[in-house]
Amino acid sequence: MRIIPLLLPTPYPVGPVNAYLLPGPPVTLVDCGPKTDEARAALEEGLRRASCKFEAIERLVITHGHTDHFGLAAAVAAASGARVYAHADEVPKLVGDRSFVEPARTLITEAGFPSEVADALFNVWRSFRGHLDRIAPTHLVADGDRLPLEDGSLEVLHTPGHAQGHICLWDGKTLIAGDLLLEEISPNPVIEFDLEGRRLHTLPAYLRSLHRVAALEPEVAYPGHGEPITAPAARIAEILRHHHDRKERLARMLAGRDWTLRDLAAEWFPGLDLRTLFLGLSEVMGHLDLLEEEGRITIDRRGGVLHYRVAAPDGG
Ligand SMILES: [Zn+2]
Ligand SMILES: [Zn+2]
């Protein structure tokens, strides 16, 4: 597969995001950056250098509904008439569904924060909304779907975890990885809820997605951020090890006493601010989910706040 990386700036701590141009046919863009003047200029310039115009894009594939990956999608579609592909589970984010607000508020209170923290957090999120235009995909893709490209096709892999409807694209050798696999940072499975407001176990799902992709033995992976990953298997093993170590460290912390999610996050990530708080909470929550699925912790609700501790041994 011919693949041309386009590096686009973002206003987020993660740094620049990668879009990928697949010259096709059909001319395909995978992800497209946030809706900022800087990202748009960089996208236009990158396309120009690849002798491609905005208007020529026939297909836009969105790996997942995080603003840095799709904020410009509506602008690209409007300029080009491109068909827009995404997984059904990402549609709520792409169209700006607000059903997560109430369960997120509950989570913040159950974590042990006063309700003003939830208000402040929502204000920060509202400010991010300027970096995207809502978009309804014209085509919903599911695991195993094939997108024709040049003489062959790309397979859609549904890889939930970092986002519930996250997808990768796979041609049998090369993986377009979105945020499933990053070289420099371990992708954060962000707290998410289903449309009924139930919280999803995003880190366990993410680890299953990693195992699945490892079994495909990709030769190279093109990530959502950073340089191409030339030894994907080694990187996956490293990420799996990282999460295993963190899970065990968390189990050791929980052995001494009861903890709230707020206290655990403060202990793990001193100096969290409103921009990073939800990511920090997500990181800790994910590892609590792993321990819970292994039956190693108990969770008590006291005064509307959840307390975590190591489960008593069997029969104890
Ligand atoms: Zn992401
Ligand atoms: Zn990203």
Side-chain angles (χ1 to χ4, degrees):
M1 149 171 62
R2 288 180 299 154
I3 178 163
I4 302 168
L6 308 171
L7 190 67
L8 312 175
T10 81
Y12 309 119
V14 69
V17 66
N18 292 320
Y20 293 107
L21 175 67
L22 317 178
V27 180
T28 301
L29 187 65
V30 182
D31 290 341
C32 56
K35 193 189 93 176
T36 63
D37 292 343
E38 294 79 9
R40 179 159 182 148
L43 181 59
E44 283 175 352
E45 171 63 15
L47 290 171
R48 196 187 57 71
R49 258 190 268 132
S51 307
C52 178
K53 290 195 171 112
F54 243 73
E55 299 77 49
I57 297 165
E58 299 174 271
R59 187 166 62 185
L60 171 64
V61 183
I62 299 170
T63 60
H64 63 294
H66 290 165
T67 311
D68 46 341
H69 295 259
F70 86 96
L72 275 173
V76 171
S80 63
R83 308 183 294 278
V84 179
Y85 293 70
H87 191 280
D89 289 347
E90 289 306 271
V91 171
K93 298 188 200 87
L94 301 176
V95 301
D97 178 272
R98 309 285 298 154
S99 64
F100 69 90
V101 168
E102 277 320 304
R105 180 180 293 282
T106 305
L107 181 137
I108 300 289
T109 343
E110 287 178 343
F113 292 99
S115 61
E116 301 82 70
V117 170
D119 294 331
L121 202 57
F122 293 143
N123 280 334
V124 172
W125 288 349
R126 221 165 277 135
S127 72
F128 290 164
R129 272 195 270 162
H131 301 152
L132 66 92
D133 282 324
R134 297 168 181 198
I135 181 154
T138 57
H139 292 66
L140 296 180
V141 292
D143 189 61
D145 282 358
R146 288 191 169 273
L147 305 178
L149 184 73
E150 295 180 77
D151 301 329
S153 67
L154 284 175
E155 185 179 350
V156 173
L157 306 177
H158 180 209
T159 47
H162 174 74
Q164 177 60 13
H166 187 285
I167 57 169
C168 298
L169 300 176
W170 169 240
D171 74 350
K173 284 183 185 164
T174 300
L175 185 77
I176 300 180
D179 283 355
L180 176 76
L181 204 53
L182 305 175
E183 189 71 89
E184 299 296 329
I185 46 175
S186 83
N188 197 327
V190 183
I191 289 170
E192 272 192 50
F193 306 91
D194 67 16
L195 289 175
E196 279 75 52
R198 285 181 299 248
R199 191 176 60 77
L200 301 160
H201 281 199
T202 52
L203 180 57
Y206 172 70
L207 299 182
R208 286 191 289 275
S209 293
L210 276 184
H211 280 291
R212 180 183 173 202
V213 165
L216 298 173
E217 300 179 1
E219 289 176 7
V220 58
Y222 287 86
H225 307 268
E227 296 290 311
I229 299 169
T230 50
R235 181 58 186 142
I236 289 173
E238 204 171 59
I239 296 174
L240 289 170
R241 210 161 40 238
H242 162 86
H243 285 299
H244 175 82
D245 292 351
R246 284 216 150 169
K247 176 185 71 181
E248 294 307 325
R249 186 178 144 210
L250 183 63
R252 286 195 294 277
M253 273 171 77
L254 290 167
R257 62 170 173 96
D258 276 18
W259 290 79
T260 63
L261 182 58
R262 175 188 185 168
D263 290 342
L264 286 169
E267 180 80 15
W268 262 18
F269 304 106
L272 282 179
D273 60 21
L274 280 172
R275 264 159 56 105
T276 50
L277 176 63
F278 207 68
L279 294 176
L281 294 178
S282 296
E283 177 79 31
V284 179
M285 185 62 98
H287 294 89
L288 287 169
D289 288 344
L290 290 175
L291 291 171
E292 189 191 350
E293 290 193 2
E294 292 174 11
R296 296 168 64 185
I297 55 168
T298 57
I299 308 169
D300 295 319
R301 176 189 298 274
R302 293 202 297 275
V305 176
L306 299 180
H307 295 259
Y308 302 84
R309 75 166 97 171
V310 168
D314 283 349

